Amino acid sequence: MTPAVRGQNSRRGTTTRARIGERRDTTAEARVDHPRAERVRERRDAERRDRDGAVRKRVAEQRLVRERTRDQPRRPERVGTDRAAVSGRATTAASTRTESGKRARTSAPVRVRADLVARGRRLVPKSPTGAKAAPFVVLVMTLLGAGLIATLWLSTAAAADSYQLEGLRNDISSLTDQNARLRRDVESREAAPRLADSARDLGLVPVDEVARLVVNPDGSHRLVGKPVPVPAPNTSPLAPPPGAEAPVAGARESDPPEAQTGRSPVENGDGRAGHRG
Amino acid sequence: MRGPRPADVGTNRARLVWARVALISVLVIVAGKLVQIQTFDHRRLAAAAERQQVLRTIEHADRGSILDDKGRVLAFSSDARVLYAVPKLIGDQVRQADSIKNKDVDAYKREIAAYLKSELGDAVDEQEVLRKLLGNGTYVTLTGQIEPGKAEKIRAKYPVIGSEYKAARYYPGESVAANIIGYAHWRHDNKRITGLVGLESSRDELLAGSNGERVAGSARGSDMFIPGTDRVVEPAVNGSDLHLTIDADMQYAVQNMVADYATRAGARSAGVVVLDASTAQVRAMANNVTFDPTRFGESTPESRANPAVSTPFEPGSVNKIVTAAAGIEYGLVKPETVLSVPGNIKIADRVIRDAWNHGRIDMTFTGVLAQSSNVGTLMVAQKIGEERYAEFLDRFGLGTKTEVGLPGESAGVVPPRSKWSGSTFANLPIGQGLSMTVLQMAGMYQAIANDGVRIPPRVIKATVDPEGVLTPEPTPPGVRVISPQTAKTVRDMLRSVVQNAPGQVGTGPQAAVEGYQVSGKTGTAQQIDKECGCYSDSKYWITFAGVFPADKPRYVIAIVLDAPSGGNRESRSAAPLFHDIASYLGQRFHVPLSQEDSPVQALTIP
């Protein structure tokens, strides 16, 4: 029988392993009491005790190194309990059945391949497997997860911000409208026609002739112009009766106009505002 | 060595050939189509694709404002919306929308009309809106311009109503300076506010700026666009602001005074220009008739014109300032030089009389001006001579445009020296036979107000670009007309025009203002009677121009009345209007009183 079958037996961990001579298959190796067999047996015990697969891993690596350094087919050895064999139990069983027929006419390289296949070994160097691979997988999964979360969070934030943005835009637009409306209002009220109307409504009257008091340097004053009461407008009920006003005083220093004391006449109005009411 | 070909191999080979031919022809067809699409139809297809994919909207530029000398706004723009609807589609949209409970289309339209009325109040007529909605139009505008905020609110409630951008132009001063500012309105074809009259029109390019463009990826050629794809391809460039030299309050007061005076005088038209004495900036320019830009539809072409710069007239005796200036400048006469003035004078084939009949009297040159003696003026003009007189007319800016900055300006008419006949020189010194605008007339008197340097008047002070950078308009170069001493002498002489001493009365004592020295000149020019082609005896241009105050000039005021017919004080002279305007200026702008009153000057020697 093939070593693979043997491997199966040994993997099951049956007591057959311990018993020499009671093996089912009858390979030459089994019958020979080889010092190597001794080593194999020891190794098998170690493997059986080995729980975390470190021994198995070491054994498999040693085998791989040996294979690479040799260039001729070895005698079929007993199958090691490497991971490929463990995982590929079914396939190796299948392949051994097919390979057994082929063994008779294989040439040397083919036999190597058959050996490798029989041992359940892959033809390419191993990739990280088992415990060594787990961190990498976790890392990749973590990265993907983080990316996904980040994307979700960003788009949620963007959506939330866009609501806020919309709200602010609406605020801006309504405030702009209000601003424009107020500006229109102010400009129209500030303009001369509306001012004149407002002044008229307040009872103010435009003045034609203005009399002025000129203050001389020595403090005395003289009257320039003739104070004439302004005729009251007919419509305004608040207008003071004619003739009751004091003359408007637009006192003036001899030099700059800014030194004028007294009330300066507003456009179309004068101190008569004080008489209202 | 091949034997005869078996029959099946031969047909095989033929089939191969035909297959090859077929494949090659397909290839050729495809290649040809490719060439056609890529080279010949490329532009058309690219344009069609762009129409489908790209939505182009206009980025509207804000129009610049127009402000007065003190920064008060006379014209400005604001965004607005116009609501429209497509009544045919409203029915479909109503039926499709789930949010509308009552699927009765007419009731829905009534609801819309009622809501518009409640939101917009007087700006909209509910019945009119309802009529439009119930009609069958493809596109109806439902409102005039409304605020963007209100438009958004209405659209949020009734998405079937569309809103379109429109800019609105406001004139807070209404008719104040309307003859200068003009009028601008929204033009649908330009998609911007465009000027129609006045500065809004002549400086339209500066005020308007230029619209930009925004593109966005659109969904299959519809109105919706893919969010996030819009970008501004060309930013809008806002318009620049115009700062005028006009003082809005003065303009308002002068406009009212001139309109009032023209009505009382029964004048066909009247115009006033007030210049700043030292800078020749136009502080006020008013005609008796103007329009209200806020009621543009009611205006007539006459009311929209600006005769103050566009319509020249014969100035009459106001032009005697040229003779006075030249006479003093060339040392031919002095203010106190006594002339023996007859009642008339013959020049070439013309006999010129004075306005009042008199024999030979002794008048000072000051008196010749104060009493506006034509004969005395012509005597001095003869001494000046035609060449020098023509040159002085030119120096005073007559016959040339002032380039004030307003559209439609007239240069007036001065007959060229080469075309003068003998009688030309009999007319020009007394202000007939030449024409000028009231702006040019003010410009003449600005020369004597500014110590002999005449500066062409300007109405635009500065422009402010969209970034806020103020660029003052360049000051025009002054023209040295007369020496400063001559200017002062002439100014002092002309104080006698408003003199009212017993026996020494000038022609314009009504122009005097208590407390101030005033220089000025009255004028009465005959208008051409079209029927006889001669000067009329009944229609006159009544003019007045003066400097206020005469001792420290601040303002130059020029007035013209066209054919006043009232038969009253106002129709005979423009001096009272000068008094009103000068008195207002003295109060409003706190012009200091003159230190002394004008001295009484001798006009006639008894």
Side-chain angles (χ1 to χ4, degrees):
Chain A
M1 295 308 141
T2 61
V5 176
R6 167 180 302 283
Q8 284 178 347
N9 285 340
S10 62
R11 234 175 293 123
R12 271 190 233 117
T14 56
T15 48
T16 51
R17 212 197 283 169
R19 282 174 274 172
I20 304 164
E22 284 189 53
R23 296 211 165 92
R24 290 207 208 119
D25 51 24
T26 53
T27 50
E29 198 180 6
R31 287 198 214 104
V32 171
D33 196 18
H34 204 265
R36 199 168 158 170
E38 185 75 31
R39 278 206 307 277
V40 169
R41 245 177 279 129
E42 283 169 10
R43 198 200 60 228
R44 286 237 180 111
D45 291 341
E47 282 169 359
R48 201 161 21 106
R49 283 191 292 274
D50 176 32
R51 286 185 196 275
D52 63 354
V55 175
R56 289 196 191 93
K57 221 156 90 174
R58 195 171 18 100
V59 165
E61 279 166 6
Q62 285 167 352
R63 276 241 168 84
L64 197 57
V65 166
R66 261 183 269 132
E67 273 172 89
R68 282 191 183 140
T69 50
R70 273 187 235 158
D71 53 0
Q72 54 210 17
R74 306 191 299 279
R75 274 192 295 160
E77 283 185 63
R78 248 177 286 230
V79 179
T81 52
D82 56 324
R83 193 161 79 92
V86 168
S87 56
R89 202 187 298 183
T91 51
T92 45
S95 57
T96 48
R97 276 182 235 116
T98 53
E99 287 303 311
S100 54
K102 277 198 220 164
R103 282 198 77 175
R105 56 168 185 157
T106 50
S107 54
V110 177
R111 203 182 329 162
V112 170
R113 257 175 288 170
D115 283 344
L116 291 175
V117 171
R119 287 178 208 149
R121 223 173 283 241
R122 300 226 294 255
L123 297 175
V124 296
K126 286 187 284 232
S127 54
T129 53
K132 215 158 56 163
F136 180 73
V137 171
V138 168
L139 175 71
V140 170
M141 279 170 61
T142 315
L143 283 174
L144 285 172
L148 190 66
I149 290 169
T151 308
L152 283 172
W153 179 77
L154 281 173
S155 31
T156 313
D161 283 349
S162 75
Y163 280 116
Q164 202 183 6
L165 185 66
E166 190 66 28
L168 288 172
R169 279 218 181 104
N170 283 341
D171 283 348
I172 287 177
S173 114
S174 71
L175 285 172
T176 309
D177 273 358
Q178 198 183 3
N179 185 22
R181 204 177 332 127
L182 287 171
R183 184 184 174 207
R184 281 198 301 273
D185 213 16
V186 165
E187 301 294 1
S188 75
R189 279 180 212 270
E190 263 187 353
R194 290 279 291 269
L195 274 181
D197 289 343
S198 309
R200 233 188 326 272
D201 292 340
L202 285 173
L204 301 180
V205 178
V207 171
D208 290 333
E209 300 298 331
V210 169
R212 295 178 174 91
L213 284 177
V214 178
V215 179
N216 296 322
D218 61 355
S220 65
H221 56 81
R222 62 185 168 98
L223 180 67
V224 175
K226 190 161 51 132
V228 173
V230 178
N234 305 332
T235 51
S236 171
L238 297 172
E245 277 55 76
V248 174
R252 163 205 162 267
E253 302 289 334
S254 38
D255 286 20
E258 291 75 45
Q260 276 201 14
T261 60
R263 219 173 316 187
S264 356
V266 290
E267 194 260 322
N268 288 341
D270 62 351
R272 271 160 183 68
H275 289 277
R276 176 173 173 240
Chain B
M1 184 64 169
R2 273 187 283 159
R5 250 190 240 154
D8 55 350
V9 178
T11 32
N12 264 347
R13 212 157 278 179
R15 267 192 232 127
L16 281 175
V17 169
W18 282 115
R20 218 176 285 152
V21 166
L23 285 174
I24 287 175
S25 57
V26 167
L27 177 69
V28 165
I29 290 170
V30 167
K33 189 73 184 165
L34 178 75
V35 164
Q36 186 206 355
I37 290 177
Q38 290 284 57
T39 47
F40 301 122
D41 285 346
H42 162 253
R43 220 161 266 126
R44 182 179 63 80
L45 290 172
E50 193 180 308
R51 272 198 300 279
Q52 243 185 3
Q53 291 167 5
V54 169
L55 187 68
R56 291 180 182 279
T57 46
I58 300 179
E59 282 277 292
H60 288 96
D62 293 334
R63 192 174 176 86
S65 309
I66 301 181
L67 298 92
D68 85 334
D69 183 49
K70 298 225 165 38
R72 287 174 288 212
V73 176
L74 295 169
F76 69 99
S77 287
S78 187
D79 283 358
R81 301 280 184 270
V82 169
L83 295 181
Y84 67 90
V86 184
K88 277 191 187 148
L89 292 186
I90 292 182
D92 303 338
Q93 285 161 327
V94 164
R95 281 182 271 277
Q96 280 174 13
D98 296 329
S99 59
I100 300 168
K101 297 183 184 35
N102 181 6
K103 297 283 181 169
D104 180 4
V105 177
D106 280 359
Y108 187 64
K109 288 181 179 176
R110 252 179 271 277
E111 197 186 310
I112 292 177
Y115 184 69
L116 283 182
K117 181 71 183 168
S118 71
E119 275 295 308
L120 301 172
D122 285 332
V124 77
D125 176 7
E126 190 176 348
Q127 293 309 314
E128 183 66 22
V129 168
L130 191 55
R131 188 183 63 77
K132 285 182 178 167
L133 284 175
L134 292 173
N136 258 336
T138 44
Y139 175 96
V140 287
T141 50
L142 300 174
T143 65
Q145 55 212 23
I146 61 172
E147 285 171 25
K150 289 220 176 95
E152 289 309 307
K153 193 170 163 202
I154 292 170
R155 286 212 69 215
K157 193 151 157 50
Y158 295 104
V160 298
I161 306 286
S163 89
E164 208 173 34
Y165 175 93
K166 184 174 178 177
R169 191 78 169 155
Y170 294 98
Y171 298 96
E174 289 165 29
S175 60
V176 172
N179 56 326
I180 296 166
I181 296 170
Y183 175 74
H185 66 164
W186 175 264
R187 285 280 300 263
H188 205 71
D189 45 357
N190 285 353
K191 291 273 184 277
R192 63 175 176 84
I193 297 180
T194 315
L196 216 53
V197 188
L199 279 178
E200 293 265 32
S201 167
S202 67
R203 305 305 295 263
D204 186 54
E205 214 178 287
L206 177 85
L207 288 167
S210 60
N211 285 340
E213 196 176 36
R214 175 189 283 263
V215 296
S218 84
R220 260 187 277 150
S222 75
D223 254 359
M224 299 185 294
F225 65 95
I226 301 168
T229 61
D230 66 331
R231 65 182 202 286
V232 175
V233 160
E234 202 185 315
V237 177
N238 289 337
S240 303
D241 289 344
L242 268 185
H243 286 241
L244 303 180
T245 58
I246 302 283
D247 184 295
D249 287 345
M250 194 198 298
Q251 176 76 22
Y252 173 71
V254 168
Q255 262 180 233
N256 285 346
M257 283 191 255
V258 116
D260 194 43
Y261 199 85
T263 313
R264 280 186 283 149
R268 278 198 301 220
S269 67
V272 171
V273 166
V274 177
L275 300 180
D276 180 273
S278 52
T279 61
Q281 290 179 344
V282 180
R283 289 278 175 262
M285 178 189 287
N287 304 298
N288 67 316
V289 166
T290 189
F291 71 104
D292 184 352
T294 62
R295 288 189 181 74
F296 187 74
E298 297 165 11
S299 65
T300 62
E302 294 80 32
S303 65
R304 297 196 284 267
N306 192 14
V309 295
S310 66
T311 309
F313 53 88
E314 296 192 35
S317 306
V318 169
N319 202 40
K320 288 176 182 163
I321 186 182
V322 179
T323 313
I328 303 287
E329 179 77 357
Y330 289 125
L332 304 166
V333 279
K334 288 214 207 25
E336 58 273 6
T337 308
V338 176
L339 303 161
S340 176
V341 179
N344 57 43
I345 185 173
K346 188 167 162 59
I347 295 182
D349 57 336
R350 296 282 175 86
V351 174
I352 314 293
R353 294 183 200 294
D354 273 343
W356 75 105
N357 284 327
H358 62 88
R360 186 167 283 274
I361 47 176
D362 290 335
M363 300 173 90
T364 59
F365 185 49
T366 308
V368 164
L369 294 173
Q371 300 190 332
S372 202
S373 163
N374 296 335
V375 178
T377 310
L378 285 169
M379 284 163 64
V380 176
Q382 296 278 305
K383 291 191 194 158
I384 294 169
E386 293 183 358
E387 283 301 325
R388 292 197 290 195
Y389 189 81
E391 199 216 318
F392 254 73
L393 284 178
D394 194 47
R395 278 199 214 175
F396 269 105
L398 300 179
T400 328
K401 284 194 195 176
T402 61
E403 309 288 349
V404 65
L406 291 172
E409 192 190 356
S410 162
V413 174
V414 173
R417 174 75 187 93
S418 51
K419 300 263 175 46
W420 286 16
S421 66
S423 58
T424 310
F425 200 42
N427 278 332
L428 295 181
I430 58 172
Q432 305 262 193
L434 81 165
S435 69
M436 61 181 73
T437 61
V438 67
L439 180 65
Q440 285 171 315
M441 198 164 81
M444 283 203 296
Y445 281 73
Q446 190 264 335
I448 60 162
N450 193 27
D451 291 338
V453 176
R454 177 180 67 83
I455 301 177
R458 292 291 182 261
V459 82
I460 295 175
K461 195 168 70 166
T463 59
V464 178
D465 73 1
E467 277 87 51
V469 176
L470 184 137
T471 311
E473 291 279 297
T475 351
V479 175
R480 166 65 63 187
V481 181
I482 45 181
S483 68
Q485 297 81 9
T486 311
K488 177 138 180 38
T489 308
V490 173
R491 227 165 47 226
D492 289 345
M493 272 202 298
L494 289 179
R495 291 179 301 187
S496 58
V497 172
V498 304
Q499 185 170 285
N500 200 0
Q504 313 281 350
V505 181
T507 51
Q510 310 98 316
V513 180
E514 185 98 40
Y516 294 99
Q517 291 190 12
V518 168
S519 286
K521 185 74 193 74
T522 57
T524 307
Q526 291 169 297
Q527 296 194 18
I528 302 270
D529 188 344
K530 289 204 182 67
E531 281 148 37
C532 72
C534 59
Y535 281 114
S536 158
D537 275 332
S538 54
K539 283 205 174 50
Y540 299 95
W541 279 297
I542 309 289
T543 53
F544 194 98
V547 176
F548 173 79
D551 50 342
K552 291 203 173 76
R554 287 275 293 263
Y555 298 103
V556 175
I557 304 168
I559 305 168
V560 63
L561 303 171
D562 179 4
S565 55
N568 48 9
R569 179 183 91 117
E570 286 87 1
S571 70
R572 279 188 281 274
S573 172
L577 182 57
F578 181 94
H579 163 88
D580 292 342
I581 297 175
S583 170
Y584 163 80
L585 292 177
Q587 293 173 48
R588 173 81 178 95
F589 295 97
H590 303 158
V591 180
L593 298 179
S594 300
Q595 296 271 27
E596 307 163 337
D597 286 340
S598 302
V600 176
Q601 304 183 57
L603 306 180
T604 54
I605 312 293

